[in-house]
mmCIF file of all heavy atoms in Angstrom:
data_model
loop_
_atom_site.group_PDB
_atom_site.id
_atom_site.type_symbol
_atom_site.label_atom_id
_atom_site.label_comp_id
_atom_site.label_asym_id
_atom_site.label_seq_id
_atom_site.Cartn_x
_atom_site.Cartn_y
_atom_site.Cartn_z
ATOM 1 N N VAL A 179 100.882 83.010 65.172
ATOM 2 C CA VAL A 179 100.279 83.198 63.924
ATOM 3 C C VAL A 179 101.332 83.360 62.810
ATOM 4 O O VAL A 179 101.322 82.759 61.792
ATOM 5 C CB VAL A 179 99.283 84.320 63.897
ATOM 6 C CG1 VAL A 179 98.791 84.678 62.533
ATOM 7 C CG2 VAL A 179 98.094 84.000 64.778
ATOM 8 N N VAL A 180 102.322 84.252 63.168
ATOM 9 C CA VAL A 180 103.392 84.517 62.170
ATOM 10 C C VAL A 180 104.166 83.294 61.873
ATOM 11 O O VAL A 180 104.427 82.982 60.702
ATOM 12 C CB VAL A 180 104.291 85.570 62.714
ATOM 13 C CG1 VAL A 180 105.536 85.743 61.837
ATOM 14 C CG2 VAL A 180 103.653 86.896 62.862
ATOM 15 N N ASN A 181 104.594 82.545 62.848
ATOM 16 C CA ASN A 181 105.397 81.310 62.616
ATOM 17 C C ASN A 181 104.594 80.286 61.863
ATOM 18 O O ASN A 181 105.170 79.492 60.955
ATOM 19 C CB ASN A 181 105.897 80.782 63.991
ATOM 20 C CG ASN A 181 106.872 81.599 64.644
ATOM 21 O OD1 ASN A 181 107.689 82.291 63.966
ATOM 22 N ND2 ASN A 181 106.947 81.649 65.976
ATOM 23 N N SER A 182 103.284 80.166 62.101
ATOM 24 C CA SER A 182 102.467 79.183 61.476
ATOM 25 C C SER A 182 102.318 79.501 59.966
ATOM 26 O O SER A 182 102.436 78.682 59.039
ATOM 27 C CB SER A 182 101.165 79.092 62.123
ATOM 28 O OG SER A 182 101.198 78.633 63.417
ATOM 29 N N LEU A 183 102.158 80.832 59.735
ATOM 30 C CA LEU A 183 102.016 81.279 58.303
ATOM 31 C C LEU A 183 103.327 81.081 57.487
ATOM 32 O O LEU A 183 103.240 80.806 56.342
ATOM 33 C CB LEU A 183 101.576 82.704 58.275
ATOM 34 C CG LEU A 183 100.244 83.021 58.838
ATOM 35 C CD1 LEU A 183 99.885 84.583 58.756
ATOM 36 C CD2 LEU A 183 99.092 82.335 58.023
ATOM 37 N N CYS A 184 104.445 81.262 58.185
ATOM 38 C CA CYS A 184 105.728 81.052 57.527
ATOM 39 C C CYS A 184 105.906 79.656 57.000
ATOM 40 O O CYS A 184 106.458 79.400 55.941
ATOM 41 C CB CYS A 184 106.889 81.393 58.492
ATOM 42 S SG CYS A 184 107.153 83.079 58.763
ATOM 43 N N HIS A 185 105.335 78.671 57.743
ATOM 44 C CA HIS A 185 105.484 77.253 57.368
ATOM 45 C C HIS A 185 104.608 76.963 56.177
ATOM 46 O O HIS A 185 104.830 75.931 55.457
ATOM 47 C CB HIS A 185 105.108 76.343 58.527
ATOM 48 C CG HIS A 185 106.145 76.291 59.639
ATOM 49 N ND1 HIS A 185 107.413 75.836 59.402
ATOM 50 C CD2 HIS A 185 106.059 76.723 60.928
ATOM 51 C CE1 HIS A 185 108.055 75.892 60.567
ATOM 52 N NE2 HIS A 185 107.290 76.494 61.496
ATOM 53 N N HIS A 186 103.574 77.730 55.879
ATOM 54 C CA HIS A 186 102.604 77.460 54.837
ATOM 55 C C HIS A 186 102.750 78.397 53.662
ATOM 56 O O HIS A 186 101.959 78.282 52.692
ATOM 57 C CB HIS A 186 101.183 77.491 55.357
ATOM 58 C CG HIS A 186 100.872 76.449 56.337
ATOM 59 N ND1 HIS A 186 101.003 76.679 57.748
ATOM 60 C CD2 HIS A 186 100.473 75.157 56.246
ATOM 61 C CE1 HIS A 186 100.693 75.627 58.339
ATOM 62 N NE2 HIS A 186 100.359 74.639 57.497
ATOM 63 N N SER A 187 103.736 79.240 53.610
ATOM 64 C CA SER A 187 103.929 80.289 52.596
ATOM 65 C C SER A 187 104.704 79.734 51.452
ATOM 66 O O SER A 187 105.719 79.009 51.604
ATOM 67 C CB SER A 187 104.480 81.520 53.144
ATOM 68 O OG SER A 187 103.827 81.991 54.165
ATOM 69 N N ASP A 188 104.307 80.102 50.203
ATOM 70 C CA ASP A 188 105.163 79.809 49.027
ATOM 71 C C ASP A 188 106.287 80.795 48.879
ATOM 72 O O ASP A 188 107.284 80.455 48.378
ATOM 73 C CB ASP A 188 104.290 79.873 47.776
ATOM 74 C CG ASP A 188 103.217 78.751 47.788
ATOM 75 O OD1 ASP A 188 103.518 77.614 47.583
ATOM 76 O OD2 ASP A 188 101.973 79.113 48.010
ATOM 77 N N LEU A 189 106.121 82.063 49.270
ATOM 78 C CA LEU A 189 107.059 83.072 49.218
ATOM 79 C C LEU A 189 106.946 84.002 50.429
ATOM 80 O O LEU A 189 105.775 84.375 50.824
ATOM 81 C CB LEU A 189 106.858 83.887 47.954
ATOM 82 C CG LEU A 189 107.814 85.129 47.734
ATOM 83 C CD1 LEU A 189 109.190 84.667 47.478
ATOM 84 C CD2 LEU A 189 107.294 85.995 46.522
ATOM 85 N N ILE A 190 108.072 84.318 51.096
ATOM 86 C CA ILE A 190 108.117 85.257 52.204
ATOM 87 C C ILE A 190 108.987 86.431 51.807
ATOM 88 O O ILE A 190 110.082 86.306 51.441
ATOM 89 C CB ILE A 190 108.674 84.559 53.487
ATOM 90 C CG1 ILE A 190 107.882 83.285 53.819
ATOM 91 C CG2 ILE A 190 108.690 85.497 54.666
ATOM 92 C CD1 ILE A 190 108.544 82.499 54.971
ATOM 93 N N LEU A 191 108.383 87.589 51.943
ATOM 94 C CA LEU A 191 109.102 88.859 51.850
ATOM 95 C C LEU A 191 109.241 89.471 53.185
ATOM 96 O O LEU A 191 108.232 90.034 53.692
ATOM 97 C CB LEU A 191 108.429 89.810 50.850
ATOM 98 C CG LEU A 191 108.192 89.237 49.474
ATOM 99 C CD1 LEU A 191 107.498 90.295 48.548
ATOM 100 C CD2 LEU A 191 109.497 88.847 48.800
ATOM 101 N N TRP A 192 110.456 89.440 53.764
ATOM 102 C CA TRP A 192 110.565 89.848 55.215
ATOM 103 C C TRP A 192 111.358 91.134 55.202
ATOM 104 O O TRP A 192 112.580 91.148 54.953
ATOM 105 C CB TRP A 192 111.308 88.677 55.852
ATOM 106 C CG TRP A 192 111.398 88.895 57.453
ATOM 107 C CD1 TRP A 192 111.050 90.005 58.119
ATOM 108 C CD2 TRP A 192 111.817 87.942 58.404
ATOM 109 N NE1 TRP A 192 111.258 89.743 59.416
ATOM 110 C CE2 TRP A 192 111.726 88.523 59.612
ATOM 111 C CE3 TRP A 192 112.354 86.540 58.257
ATOM 112 C CZ2 TRP A 192 112.119 87.865 60.739
ATOM 113 C CZ3 TRP A 192 112.764 85.962 59.470
ATOM 114 C CH2 TRP A 192 112.617 86.563 60.660
ATOM 115 N N ALA A 193 110.685 92.194 55.510
ATOM 116 C CA ALA A 193 111.386 93.575 55.665
ATOM 117 C C ALA A 193 111.818 93.701 57.055
ATOM 118 O O ALA A 193 111.046 93.481 58.044
ATOM 119 C CB ALA A 193 110.398 94.659 55.267
ATOM 120 N N GLU A 194 113.134 94.115 57.251
ATOM 121 C CA GLU A 194 113.693 94.287 58.586
ATOM 122 C C GLU A 194 114.374 95.712 58.675
ATOM 123 O O GLU A 194 114.938 96.123 57.701
ATOM 124 C CB GLU A 194 114.677 93.186 58.898
ATOM 125 C CG GLU A 194 114.148 91.792 58.824
ATOM 126 C CD GLU A 194 115.215 90.711 59.049
ATOM 127 O OE1 GLU A 194 116.013 90.488 58.113
ATOM 128 O OE2 GLU A 194 115.274 90.239 60.181
ATOM 129 N N GLY A 195 114.281 96.258 59.822
ATOM 130 C CA GLY A 195 115.059 97.435 60.110
ATOM 131 C C GLY A 195 116.528 97.154 60.241
ATOM 132 O O GLY A 195 116.911 96.035 60.546
ATOM 133 N N LEU A 196 117.401 98.105 60.022
ATOM 134 C CA LEU A 196 118.812 97.844 60.058
ATOM 135 C C LEU A 196 119.227 97.659 61.567
ATOM 136 O O LEU A 196 118.783 98.385 62.453
ATOM 137 C CB LEU A 196 119.561 99.075 59.547
ATOM 138 C CG LEU A 196 119.335 99.422 58.001
ATOM 139 C CD1 LEU A 196 120.081 100.669 57.657
ATOM 140 C CD2 LEU A 196 119.859 98.272 57.188
ATOM 141 N N ALA A 197 120.127 96.703 61.746
ATOM 142 C CA ALA A 197 120.551 96.415 63.103
ATOM 143 C C ALA A 197 121.388 97.590 63.631
ATOM 144 O O ALA A 197 121.486 97.726 64.953
ATOM 145 C CB ALA A 197 121.322 95.115 63.100
#
Side-chain angles (χ1 to χ4, degrees):
V179 170
V180 172
N181 292 330
S182 297
L183 293 179
C184 286
H185 287 296
H186 295 93
S187 303
D188 296 286
L189 176 67
I190 302 173
L191 303 181
W192 189 352
E194 300 176 285
L196 296 175

